[in-house]
Amino acid sequence: MLSFDLHKRKFLTVFLLLLFAWSLMGVNWQEGVMHSSGISTAGEIFAAMFTPDLSMDILLLAAESSWLTLAYATAGMSLALILALIFGILASGVLSSGKRSRTLMKGSFRGVLGFMRAIHELVWAWLFVASFGLSPYAAIFALAIPYGGILGRIFADMINDVPEEPIKALRATGASRLQCLFYGYLPSVKNSMISYTMYRYECAVRSSAIMSFVGLGGLGYQIQLSLDDLHYDEVWTFLYFLIILVVIIDGWSNMLRRRMAQ
Amino acid sequence: MSEKNIIEINQISKNYERKIALSSLSFVVEKGELIALIGPSGAGKTTLLNLLASILEADSGELLVDGKPMSQFSDQKKRAKKIGIIRQQFDLVGQLPVIHNVLAGRLADWGFFKSLFNLFIPQERQEATTALKRVGLPDKLYERTSNLSGGEQQRVALARLLMQKPEIILADEPVASLDPARADDVLDMLTKLAKEEHQTVIASLHSVDYARKYFTRLIALKNGKLFFDLPADQVTDKQLEELYQLKELS
C-alpha cells in the first residue's frame, strides 16, 4: 500500500514538472517580461542598497514611521490575541460536555476563525479604509481580524493536542471543565502559545508596513512615496529600519523562549 | 471487622463488542481494606477499576458504593469526595509548579474564581506544605513539576490525593513505570497514608511480590472471572502459578 502511494507521488511530481514546462511556453518572451529600461532600473535600485540616505531628517522620518508601524502592529496584535484566546478556546471544544455539543461548538467557532483569516489583512484594510476613512482604527482592525483568526486556529489545535492523562486526572479530582482549562490545558500550552504569538507579532510588523501602502502612514507609505520620487537611497533607509524592527522582535522572542525553557 | 461495606459488587458483567472483559463478578469491600488486584494482562483489572471510577458503565449487575448505586455519584464533585484515582505517572500537569498540582486536589471544593485566584496567589499553602511534607518532598513547593523524577511525581500525585481526601483510592498500576526502589517507596507511602487516613485502597498490580508485601487482601482475576479472593498471607505459590499459567490445565 505504502509503495503504491510513493509511486503515485512520483507520478504527480513528473506531472507537475511537465505542467510547469508547458506553462513556460505560454509566456511571451519578446515583450512583457520586463519593460525596456527594467534592467537599468533594477541596477539603480540595488546599487542604492549600499548608499542609504542617512541625512538627519530622513532618519527622523524613518524613526517616526517605524514607531507608527510598530504601534499599529502592537495594537493589532494585542486585539488579535484577545480574539484568538476567546475564539480559540471555544473552537477547541474543551468547554462543552456532550459529544454533540462539542462537535457543534468546534464546527461553528472553527468556521468563524476560518472566515476571519480567509480574507487577507490588506483586503480588510481596504474595507475598513472605505468605511472608517484613513484612521488608525482601520489599520488595527485590519490586522487584528485575520491575525486573530490565524492565532485562534493554532491555539485551538494546540489545546486539542494536550495529552489526555493529566486532564482525566484533573476531572477525577472533581475539577469542572473551566477549572480543567486553567489547571490543565492552558498551563500545558502556554509556552507554545507565547512563542507562536511572538512569531506572528514579527509577521504583523511586516504586514503593518505593507498595509500602510493603502495610505495609513508608516514605513510602507514612506517607501511608496520615495519610490514614486525615484529616491532609491531613501527607500533603503526605510527598509533597513524595517529589518531592524523585525530583528529586535526576533531577539526579544528568543529571550522570552530561553527564559521559559528554564 | 464489623465496619460497614463501602463497596458491594454484585454479578457485574462487562463486554467489549464480542470480548468478555468481566463476567458476573461479585465481591464486597469493607471500609479500610487494602486490596490488590492481580492477574495476567487482559484479565479485567483495569476494566474493573474503570467501572469503580465510573469511567465505564457495567452491562449488567449491581455496583454499590456506600450502599448507593453508582448513578448517585454522577456529579463529578460529589464523586471526587468519595473516590480518588492514581495512575502511572503522566497524571500531573508538567508545566505547573508542584504546589498547583497538589492544590488541584481541592478543585472539587473550590468555586471557579477561587481556583483562578489560586493560580496567582496560592491558597491553603499550609495544607499543601503539610501534604508535601508527609510524602517527603517538603522543599519542592515551587519547582516545575516536569523537572521532578518519576518517583517524585508519583509522590506529588499522592500529595494531591491527601488534599482531595477521598474515602476510596483506586490505583491503576501506580508503580508500573518506576524502578524497584522507587516502586517500593511509593507503595509503602500509599498504603501507609491510606491507613493513617482510614481510606480504602484498591490497586491493580503486575507484581505479586508487591501485592503480598503491602496489601492485606488479594483479589485475583483471570479471563474476567474471580480466580481467588484471599487474605494476603493465605495465598499459596501454587495458586499464583496457576493464575499466571498461559494455558488452562485440562
Side-chain angles (χ1 to χ4, degrees):
Chain A
M1 193 62 204
L2 181 76
S3 63
F4 179 64
D5 278 347
L6 281 175
H7 227 74
K8 269 201 296 197
R9 214 177 301 165
K10 263 175 212 151
F11 274 125
L12 188 66
T13 311
V14 171
F15 175 70
L16 287 175
L17 281 174
L18 284 174
L19 203 66
F20 173 69
W22 178 65
S23 76
L24 290 179
M25 298 199 291
V27 178
N28 182 351
W29 295 101
Q30 256 59 53
E31 46 193 306
V33 176
M34 237 182 235
H35 67 85
S36 47
S37 63
I39 290 184
S40 63
T41 310
E44 274 173 55
I45 290 179
F46 284 103
M49 195 171 161
F50 304 102
T51 56
D53 187 343
L54 296 175
S55 60
M56 204 55 205
D57 44 333
I58 288 296
L59 283 180
L60 276 177
L61 183 64
E64 198 192 322
S65 315
S66 305
W67 177 247
L68 203 60
T69 294
L70 188 66
Y72 287 160
T74 310
M77 217 38 210
S78 309
L79 197 58
L81 187 60
I82 295 170
L83 287 174
L85 278 174
I86 297 172
F87 286 111
I89 287 167
L90 290 171
S92 71
V94 295
L95 289 182
S96 51
S97 42
K99 205 169 182 187
R100 195 173 302 166
S101 75
R102 173 170 296 203
T103 321
L104 190 74
M105 202 133 129
K106 262 181 147 172
S108 49
F109 283 102
R110 275 180 188 263
V112 171
L113 288 172
F115 170 74
M116 285 162 71
R117 64 175 192 280
I119 300 172
H120 193 269
E121 53 262 34
L122 262 181
V123 180
W124 281 115
W126 271 328
L127 295 179
F128 283 124
V129 167
S131 45
F132 293 161
L134 289 171
S135 88
Y137 294 110
I140 292 168
F141 289 140
L143 267 179
I145 293 174
Y147 275 73
I150 295 167
L151 280 180
R153 161 71 200 278
I154 299 289
F155 286 180
D157 287 351
M158 285 177 179
I159 290 174
N160 285 142
D161 285 343
V162 169
E164 283 224 319
E165 291 91 353
I167 305 298
K168 273 190 191 152
L170 278 176
R171 294 288 290 159
T173 64
S176 64
R177 303 251 164 220
L178 216 51
Q179 283 172 328
C180 278
L181 180 69
F182 283 98
Y183 278 78
Y185 292 111
L186 290 185
S188 302
V189 296
K190 191 182 82 190
N191 289 357
S192 349
M193 273 187 177
I194 291 175
S195 58
Y196 188 72
T197 306
M198 288 305 288
Y199 166 64
R200 274 289 150 196
Y201 181 42
E202 195 189 302
C203 299
V205 169
R206 284 196 299 264
S207 273
S208 160
I210 294 286
M211 241 173 16
S212 58
F213 282 119
V214 181
L216 285 165
L219 279 174
Y221 182 57
Q222 298 304 335
I223 291 171
Q224 190 184 24
L225 289 184
S226 299
L227 263 181
D228 287 348
D229 295 343
L230 306 181
H231 287 153
Y232 301 133
D233 46 352
E234 289 174 21
V235 170
W236 280 103
T237 314
F238 298 128
L239 282 178
Y240 285 131
F241 266 78
L242 183 60
I243 293 169
I244 291 169
L245 271 186
V246 170
V247 168
I248 288 175
I249 291 173
D250 188 41
W252 182 22
S253 119
N254 277 336
M255 218 170 67
L256 269 180
R257 226 169 323 183
R258 215 169 310 142
R259 201 179 317 163
M260 285 187 307
Q262 279 165 7
Chain B
M1 294 229 212
S2 58
E3 284 191 69
K4 71 176 200 181
N5 300 333
I6 191 153
I7 298 172
E8 282 175 58
I9 290 175
N10 216 338
Q11 298 289 319
I12 219 165
S13 295
K14 174 80 192 168
N15 299 342
Y16 294 114
E17 292 175 12
R18 293 278 163 99
K19 201 176 157 286
I20 297 165
L22 290 176
S23 72
S24 60
L25 189 67
S26 304
F27 63 89
V28 171
V29 179
E30 285 174 14
K31 212 172 158 96
E33 276 192 291
L34 303 176
I35 296 178
L37 286 177
I38 55 173
S41 308
K45 292 171 295 186
T46 302
T47 307
L48 179 57
L49 285 176
N50 282 340
L51 287 174
L52 287 167
S54 90
I55 291 166
L56 290 175
E57 229 170 294
D59 297 335
S60 66
E62 197 182 29
L63 204 169
L64 300 179
V65 172
D66 239 2
K68 283 172 260 177
M70 226 32 209
S71 54
Q72 295 221 355
F73 298 101
S74 55
D75 177 46
Q76 203 98 27
K77 306 225 172 222
K78 233 164 93 189
R79 190 165 65 229
K81 297 273 90 190
K82 241 345 140 201
I83 299 169
I85 302 170
I86 182 167
R87 288 196 178 81
Q88 297 184 29
Q89 45 181 317
F90 331 117
D91 249 13
L92 303 169
V93 181
Q95 286 81 353
L96 280 179
V98 167
I99 185 168
H100 288 311
N101 269 310
V102 175
L103 286 171
R106 303 286 296 141
L107 288 177
D109 297 312
W110 289 353
F112 171 65
F113 287 105
K114 183 165 183 188
S115 46
L116 193 58
F117 186 61
N118 172 65
L119 283 174
F120 299 99
I121 300 165
Q123 309 286 298
E124 305 184 18
R125 269 232 322 263
Q126 201 59 51
E127 287 87 335
T129 317
T130 317
L132 278 172
K133 242 180 230 155
R134 285 178 71 185
V135 299
L137 298 171
D139 50 347
K140 304 267 185 185
L141 220 54
Y142 293 101
E143 190 118 355
R144 189 203 271 237
T145 309
S146 55
N147 291 348
L148 268 54
S149 70
E152 287 173 328
Q153 292 197 17
Q154 275 311 60
R155 292 185 193 202
V156 174
L158 285 176
R160 179 165 71 186
L161 275 178
L162 280 175
M163 297 299 282
Q164 190 186 340
K165 295 197 186 82
E167 290 174 39
I168 304 165
I169 295 174
L170 303 176
D172 189 2
E173 299 286 356
V175 294
S177 43
L178 298 179
D179 64 68
R182 307 286 173 290
D184 256 320
D185 186 55
V186 166
L187 282 176
D188 186 45
M189 199 159 276
L190 168 68
T191 47
K192 197 184 86 200
L193 292 174
K195 271 182 221 157
E196 284 170 15
E197 304 281 320
H198 306 291
Q199 287 161 316
T200 310
V201 179
I202 302 181
S204 67
L205 290 171
H206 263 115
S207 156
V208 179
D209 297 333
Y210 290 140
R212 280 167 139 178
K213 191 167 167 194
Y214 294 105
F215 293 84
T216 54
R217 179 178 165 193
L218 267 53
I219 294 180
L221 296 179
K222 191 170 189 180
N223 300 328
K225 292 193 191 82
L226 197 67
F227 192 71
F228 63 76
D229 177 359
L230 291 168
D233 46 11
Q234 287 177 26
V235 178
T236 63
D237 290 342
K238 188 165 178 297
Q239 282 170 316
L240 292 172
E241 200 181 311
E242 270 175 49
L243 174 64
Y244 286 100
Q245 211 151 44
L246 281 179
K247 270 189 193 145
E248 301 276 350
L249 294 171
S250 50

